[in-house]
Amino acid sequence: MYVVIFRAKTRELDEEYFIVANRMRELAIKQFGCIEFAAVSEGNNEIALSYWPDEASIRDWKSHAEHQIAQQLGRKHWYESYSVQVAQISREYCFPLK
Amino acid sequence: MYVVIFRAKTRELDEEYFIVANRMRELAIKQFGCIEFAAVSEGNNEIALSYWPDEASIRDWKSHAEHQIAQQLGRKHWYESYSVQVAQISREYCFPLK
């Protein structure tokens, strides 16, 4: 399994941000095979994790037309800076044990 | 480079939690080769990312005596649940471009 780690410094977030973010999450999960999505924000720091079965799904999602427009909006309005890291999960464990 | 993704549901956090968390972060960076540490909390959701040069450093850190005690304290007092995922970063990019 792969994870995309999105770390951002946000500017002021307007209503459109939340509409677009929800729409993108829905699209990623319903149409692009995203397995799970988790985001946490504190002040202007955001970490969002999305989980994917393979790198091809991530590439397809990154280059999707509607997502490209959302990325442009993000750079223009909502994000002062961000980084994206793609990583392959080699092991995981949890508490309590499942 | 490797990343350890720690995702937790926290209980009520006391003063000891912050002392231990700071101490663990310092130890990881100064003595175990941790490259970077970033954590974001929202309500009782926490995501903490730590970056490492290799898996050996991560294993050494996980099994360190003082860290083991901190992990036990975490399971007993501070964390309702958590997951740990170890992943190898294959590519990354950022905005603005560096």
Side-chain angles (χ1 to χ4, degrees):
Chain A
M1 187 164 63
Y2 287 80
V3 59
V4 175
I5 301 169
F6 177 81
R7 292 170 56 185
K9 296 274 179 200
T10 51
R11 301 179 194 275
E12 204 159 326
L13 301 175
D14 55 17
E15 196 186 346
E16 193 185 9
Y17 165 82
F18 295 98
I19 293 168
V20 171
N22 278 337
R23 166 81 180 141
M24 289 305 113
R25 183 191 297 218
E26 197 180 285
L27 209 60
I29 289 172
K30 290 198 178 154
Q31 288 187 32
F32 286 85
C34 175
I35 296 160
E36 190 193 352
F37 186 91
V40 173
S41 293
E42 183 179 1
N44 70 340
N45 286 303
E46 181 186 338
I47 296 177
L49 306 170
S50 59
Y51 295 87
W52 303 83
D54 49 48
E55 291 206 81
S57 308
I58 298 169
R59 277 193 297 271
D60 289 350
W61 170 235
K62 183 170 189 274
S63 60
H64 177 60
E66 195 178 338
H67 186 205
Q68 289 268 344
I69 292 167
Q71 290 171 59
Q72 285 166 22
L73 285 169
R75 288 189 289 268
K76 190 167 176 194
H77 299 297
W78 304 315
Y79 295 115
E80 187 182 307
S81 62
Y82 63 72
S83 67
V84 176
Q85 296 168 318
V86 179
Q88 184 173 18
I89 295 173
S90 51
R91 56 199 167 86
E92 58 183 297
Y93 56 93
C94 62
F95 163 79
L97 292 172
K98 275 176 190 164
Chain B
M1 187 163 65
Y2 286 79
V3 59
V4 175
I5 302 168
F6 177 81
R7 293 170 56 184
K9 296 275 180 200
T10 50
R11 301 178 194 275
E12 204 160 325
L13 300 175
D14 54 17
E15 196 186 345
E16 192 185 10
Y17 165 82
F18 294 98
I19 293 168
V20 171
N22 279 336
R23 165 81 182 143
M24 289 305 112
R25 183 191 297 218
E26 197 181 285
L27 208 61
I29 289 172
K30 290 198 179 153
Q31 288 186 32
F32 287 85
C34 175
I35 297 161
E36 189 192 353
F37 186 91
V40 173
S41 292
E42 183 178 1
N44 69 340
N45 286 304
E46 180 186 339
I47 296 177
L49 305 171
S50 59
Y51 294 87
W52 303 84
D54 49 48
E55 292 207 82
S57 309
I58 299 169
R59 276 193 297 271
D60 289 350
W61 170 234
K62 184 170 188 273
S63 60
H64 177 60
E66 197 178 337
H67 187 205
Q68 289 268 345
I69 292 166
Q71 290 171 60
Q72 284 166 23
L73 284 170
R75 287 189 288 269
K76 191 168 175 193
H77 298 298
W78 304 315
Y79 296 115
E80 189 182 306
S81 62
Y82 63 73
S83 67
V84 176
Q85 295 169 318
V86 178
Q88 184 172 19
I89 295 174
S90 51
R91 57 199 166 86
E92 58 183 297
Y93 56 92
C94 61
F95 163 79
L97 293 171
K98 277 178 188 163

